[in-house]
Amino acid sequence: MTSTPVARPDEVRRYNRASLLRRLHLGGPSTRAELAGELGLNRSTIKALVDGLAGSGVVVERVPRPGRQAGRPSLLVLPQPEAAVVLAVDIQVEHVALALVGLGGEILGRNSWNLHRRTRTPTEVLTRITESTALLAADLGVRPAGCGVSVPGVVRRLDGHVHEAPNLRWSDVPLGERLAAVLDTRVVVGNDAELGALAEYLRGTAQGSGDVVFVSADIGVGGGVIAEGASLRGTTGYVGELGHMVVNPRGRDCYCGSRGCWETEVGEAAFCRALGLPEGSSRGAVRVELRELDATPELARSRLAELAEWLTLGLVNVVNLLGPELVVLGDLFTDLPDAVLDDVAGAVRQRSMVSRALGGVRVERSSLARDAKLLGAAEVAFEEIIDTV
Amino acid sequence: MTSTPVARPDEVRRYNRASLLRRLHLGGPSTRAELAGELGLNRSTIKALVDGLAGSGVVVERVPRPGRQAGRPSLLVLPQPEAAVVLAVDIQVEHVALALVGLGGEILGRNSWNLHRRTRTPTEVLTRITESTALLAADLGVRPAGCGVSVPGVVRRLDGHVHEAPNLRWSDVPLGERLAAVLDTRVVVGNDAELGALAEYLRGTAQGSGDVVFVSADIGVGGGVIAEGASLRGTTGYVGELGHMVVNPRGRDCYCGSRGCWETEVGEAAFCRALGLPEGSSRGAVRVELRELDATPELARSRLAELAEWLTLGLVNVVNLLGPELVVLGDLFTDLPDAVLDDVAGAVRQRSMVSRALGGVRVERSSLARDAKLLGAAEVAFEEIIDTV
């Protein structure tokens, strides 16, 4: 009388297999008993799945290192990195990093190069990605089954169309399509801050926190949001641009057409101004200055006072709007001297009404440092292929 | 071999029944064929469900009004309002409105009263709600099966604890618990802007738009967000406070501890200042002034120039952060003169980078006007009880 869809046994098996692989990929080596408990499957089902995966070389079972427990140790199930490899690409304004990442999240090999005005065109970047990937894959003897790309701009998730990546001076680049054609694989393109947030949530500082904002400073400032455990996106999959929140209406003109955007007040150029470095100084020079300031808290506070104030104000706004439990700061922000970071975190907790209601939002440095976006790119690629491993 | 959960027939039936009722409640009268198509159920299943619901008086079937189509008309299935009634309460700073709302969303009866400093305590408000509900329910001969309450403040969704409703001067009020005890029914308490957004999405201007921001001005300014068709909440269910985004760092002090919050620049007090009315003028006086200005666009533009600029700046920020397809303006904002509203909408589209990427965000007036929050409160109550009708 009813027409409820009832899953066929092979569908159920495929679904359970993918769940198991996802769990091993993100959670690491586990015993069969742990897997059975966490996935809510009985032990005979787990045994059949693990045996099948071991038979096709996707996992191995191994005796754990001694000292783990008394008695006869349970075998650990380990994902085999080479069983599924994805290409992760992190396109930044002055730099491209790429890596081949294996099942389980291990970086098997990597390469990177700098971008200059001349080499920053989509065609140049695509050519170099293709060449570099071919070399790396041949070196490692693997073939990527999917690809994830991080881009600092407004990206349509559906097809990887880059609408506008202003700091790269790209607009309307069908990056997903073009890359899929040359690599002959499935390509997912995401906004860099969204992918950074995803990586922090899955593998970094934000593990176990369902409501997180990730804000990072490079040339530009970007932010990604995890809400109730999922990436927050706007309509048609566009991710917001936290860096273009106006924090200082009397501030500097921004290329976006506004003025006093968060990016103009706390991005790399603002760091250079605060540190008395010529604008356009190398990232390395900025980092060296910041690290030196760590030893002289009072000097750090006075030099970075204005930048810290705009960072605080923007964070208060973000926390008041989104109510996260944790804010993770990435890239250049991770090099802020401890004294300044502690002041900012304290001021956000004091001035944000929503933080007070939540009992105090945490503000922490990214633990993935410069790899956050690269690892996020790997994860969106894995999401696409894990069902087919 | 597998342990997939297979739904039992009575569970499936209950699930289908609730889906059908939810569809009739939100979508209105429909033919059996329409229901079968939209719910993906076969016609015999729909027949059995409709017959069951008609037997217990929850729906009726009727011949549609003539002129709808040629040939023998299909019967329409209509929800019976009295079959499930909820109490909706909209607590505002100077005003409480309540209504008994029937299945299908019809307001069966309503009452409201003004709040003054003396009558604004939680106990006074609770007492009055209880008395007023009893009278209204007796009048209509119905008994509410659930209750939804809208509060202008920071609310913990889980148990309806009002952490802070600053304009009411309430803090740490266990409103959900207290109201549930006196009304002897399930109570859901929500932030007013969240409920306004929900109502616009389900029954108002935003129907059919999955990514929406609702911003409304009363004494305070609040905003609710629908992202991919669901209410966006922060950690532990707290909804953000868009009104406490700082738009003007050199602006007036806000009671929240910040200065230049959106609320201080575009809330009711800012309207009074712009219109040359004494602060604390009645809502009616503000509306009258605004409506008069509608006839003189240039005067309207000059009087409201500063307010419009802060409204624009805040909206640019909201659009850049969240990337909605539609912004719905509620309460006092709906009385903005057309010329000013058009200017604001145009400026947001021009100045927001994300709006440009999206091909232009729409900025529109609420069609539910002052009932948005009340209807949103009804909907969260219906969500809780529709499975049990």
Side-chain angles (χ1 to χ4, degrees):
Chain A
M1 194 171 83
T2 54
S3 66
T4 179
V6 172
R8 299 202 318 267
D10 56 333
E11 284 172 359
V12 171
R13 194 181 148 78
R14 202 154 54 226
Y15 174 84
N16 286 341
R17 189 178 187 275
S19 302
L20 178 67
L21 267 181
R22 196 170 283 119
R23 165 62 187 74
L24 287 170
H25 171 65
L26 292 171
S30 314
T31 64
R32 289 184 185 179
E34 287 165 353
L35 294 170
E38 287 179 34
L39 297 171
L41 296 172
N42 62 42
R43 297 187 66 152
S44 64
T45 304
I46 291 287
K47 178 178 187 314
L49 290 170
V50 169
D51 288 350
L53 288 167
S56 46
V58 178
V59 304
V60 292
E61 290 192 280
R62 241 183 241 156
V63 180
R65 293 201 193 93
R68 202 175 130 112
Q69 63 196 62
R72 185 169 150 256
S74 302
L75 288 176
L76 282 179
V77 184
L78 292 86
Q80 283 299 84
E82 292 77 12
V85 175
V86 301
L87 171 66
V89 185
D90 176 15
I91 303 176
Q92 299 179 17
V93 179
E94 299 183 330
H95 188 82
V96 176
L98 64 75
L100 289 169
V101 180
L103 188 68
E106 190 189 333
I107 292 182
L108 304 176
R110 63 201 299 164
N111 192 7
S112 65
W113 59 95
N114 290 333
L115 290 181
H116 308 286
R117 191 161 304 184
R118 212 171 38 75
T119 58
R120 201 175 281 148
T121 66
T123 301
E124 286 279 346
V125 170
L126 276 162
T127 306
R128 186 75 189 261
I129 289 172
T130 317
E131 291 169 1
S132 186
T133 303
L135 286 172
L136 200 57
D139 243 22
L140 297 166
V142 298
R143 195 189 172 284
C147 170
V149 187
S150 161
V151 175
V154 183
V155 177
R156 187 167 59 211
R157 186 58 173 270
L158 186 68
D159 59 359
H161 184 92
V162 178
H163 178 84
E164 209 178 341
N167 286 310
L168 285 168
R169 294 169 199 259
W170 289 9
S171 64
D172 281 317
V173 178
L175 185 68
E177 265 176 34
R178 288 181 65 179
L179 207 47
V182 291
L183 294 175
D184 190 25
T185 184
R186 178 98 178 75
V187 175
V188 184
V189 184
N191 170 274
D192 61 344
E194 178 189 13
L195 299 187
L198 183 69
E200 293 294 341
Y201 173 60
L202 294 177
R203 300 194 177 275
T205 306
Q207 269 184 76
S209 301
D211 292 282
V212 182
V213 178
F214 172 74
V215 184
S216 76
D218 179 39
I219 305 277
V221 168
V225 180
I226 301 283
E228 300 187 64
S231 285
L232 177 67
R233 299 196 193 111
T235 188
T236 70
Y238 280 117
V239 171
E241 289 282 331
L242 263 74
H244 295 278
M245 164 174 64
V246 175
V247 291
N248 180 7
R250 303 187 191 203
R252 286 152 194 265
D253 285 339
C254 179
Y255 60 79
C256 82
S258 268
R259 59 159 43 184
C261 289
W262 209 13
E263 174 163 325
T264 69
E265 306 296 339
V266 301
E268 194 176 88
F271 273 91
C272 290
R273 291 197 300 272
L275 298 169
L277 294 170
E279 215 161 293
S281 298
S282 77
R283 181 72 39 86
V286 175
R287 287 184 192 267
V288 166
E289 282 289 320
L290 288 171
R291 273 181 215 147
E292 275 181 15
L293 281 177
D294 220 1
T296 51
E298 284 319 310
L299 184 63
R301 286 192 173 104
S302 86
R303 286 261 200 106
L304 296 166
E306 198 184 331
L307 191 148
E309 173 55 25
W310 296 123
L311 179 57
T312 301
L313 198 149
L315 290 176
V316 167
N317 284 355
V318 166
V319 171
N320 278 347
L321 261 70
L322 298 165
E325 58 191 294
L326 171 66
V327 175
V328 178
L329 298 176
D331 278 358
L332 261 186
F333 292 139
T334 62
D335 296 308
L336 280 171
D338 287 342
V340 174
L341 194 60
D342 290 348
D343 288 354
V344 167
V348 170
R349 280 192 288 271
Q350 198 197 329
R351 284 158 60 179
S352 160
M353 175 174 167
V354 171
S355 171
R356 294 197 304 267
L358 295 173
V361 66
R362 289 178 291 135
V363 179
E364 296 182 6
R365 286 190 178 92
S366 161
S367 61
L368 303 175
R370 272 171 276 182
D371 282 341
K373 294 158 185 181
L374 196 63
L375 292 175
E379 290 311 323
V380 288
F382 273 117
E383 267 175 30
E384 291 290 322
I385 64 149
I386 203 128
D387 290 353
T388 64
V389 173
Chain B
M1 195 172 84
T2 54
S3 65
T4 179
V6 172
R8 299 203 317 266
D10 58 332
E11 284 172 359
V12 171
R13 194 181 149 78
R14 202 155 56 228
Y15 174 83
N16 287 340
R17 189 177 188 275
S19 302
L20 178 68
L21 267 181
R22 195 169 283 118
R23 165 62 187 74
L24 287 170
H25 171 65
L26 292 171
S30 315
T31 64
R32 289 184 185 180
E34 288 165 352
L35 294 170
E38 288 180 33
L39 297 172
L41 297 172
N42 63 41
R43 297 187 66 152
S44 65
T45 303
I46 291 288
K47 179 176 185 318
L49 290 170
V50 169
D51 287 351
L53 288 167
S56 46
V58 177
V59 304
V60 292
E61 290 192 280
R62 244 182 238 155
V63 181
R65 293 203 192 92
R68 201 176 131 113
Q69 64 196 63
R72 183 168 151 258
S74 302
L75 288 176
L76 281 179
V77 185
L78 292 87
Q80 283 299 85
E82 291 78 10
V85 175
V86 300
L87 171 66
V89 184
D90 176 15
I91 303 176
Q92 298 179 17
V93 180
E94 297 183 331
H95 187 84
V96 177
L98 63 76
L100 289 169
V101 180
L103 189 68
E106 191 189 331
I107 292 181
L108 305 176
R110 61 200 302 163
N111 192 8
S112 65
W113 59 94
N114 291 331
L115 291 182
H116 309 285
R117 190 160 308 183
R118 213 172 36 75
T119 59
R120 201 176 280 148
T121 65
T123 301
E124 285 279 346
V125 169
L126 277 162
T127 306
R128 187 74 189 260
I129 289 172
T130 317
E131 290 169 2
S132 187
T133 302
L135 286 172
L136 200 58
D139 242 23
L140 297 166
V142 296
R143 194 189 173 285
C147 170
V149 186
S150 161
V151 175
V154 183
V155 176
R156 185 167 61 210
R157 185 59 173 270
L158 186 68
D159 59 358
H161 184 91
V162 178
H163 178 84
E164 208 179 342
N167 286 309
L168 284 167
R169 293 170 200 258
W170 289 8
S171 64
D172 281 318
V173 178
L175 186 67
E177 265 176 33
R178 289 183 63 179
L179 208 48
V182 290
L183 295 174
D184 192 24
T185 184
R186 178 99 179 75
V187 175
V188 184
V189 184
N191 169 275
D192 61 343
E194 178 188 13
L195 298 187
L198 183 69
E200 293 293 341
Y201 173 61
L202 294 176
R203 301 196 176 274
T205 305
Q207 267 184 77
S209 300
D211 292 282
V212 182
V213 178
F214 172 74
V215 185
S216 75
D218 179 38
I219 306 277
V221 169
V225 179
I226 301 283
E228 300 185 66
S231 286
L232 177 67
R233 299 197 192 111
T235 188
T236 70
Y238 280 116
V239 171
E241 288 283 330
L242 263 75
H244 295 278
M245 164 174 64
V246 175
V247 291
N248 181 6
R250 303 187 192 205
R252 285 152 195 266
D253 284 339
C254 180
Y255 60 78
C256 82
S258 267
R259 58 159 43 184
C261 289
W262 208 13
E263 174 163 323
T264 69
E265 306 297 340
V266 301
E268 194 176 88
F271 274 90
C272 289
R273 291 196 300 271
L275 298 169
L277 294 170
E279 214 162 292
S281 297
S282 77
R283 182 72 37 86
V286 175
R287 287 182 193 270
V288 166
E289 282 288 321
L290 286 172
R291 273 180 215 146
E292 275 181 14
L293 281 176
D294 219 2
T296 51
E298 284 319 311
L299 185 61
R301 286 193 173 103
S302 86
R303 286 262 201 106
L304 296 166
E306 199 185 331
L307 191 147
E309 172 56 22
W310 296 124
L311 179 57
T312 300
L313 197 150
L315 290 176
V316 166
N317 284 356
V318 166
V319 171
N320 279 348
L321 260 69
L322 297 166
E325 60 190 296
L326 171 65
V327 175
V328 179
L329 298 176
D331 278 357
L332 261 185
F333 292 139
T334 63
D335 296 308
L336 279 171
D338 287 342
V340 174
L341 195 59
D342 291 349
D343 289 354
V344 167
V348 170
R349 280 192 287 270
Q350 198 198 328
R351 283 160 59 180
S352 159
M353 174 174 168
V354 170
S355 172
R356 295 197 303 267
L358 296 172
V361 67
R362 289 178 292 134
V363 179
E364 295 181 7
R365 285 191 179 91
S366 161
S367 61
L368 303 174
R370 270 171 279 181
D371 282 341
K373 294 157 185 182
L374 197 62
L375 292 175
E379 291 310 324
V380 288
F382 273 117
E383 268 174 30
E384 292 289 322
I385 65 150
I386 203 130
D387 290 353
T388 65
V389 173

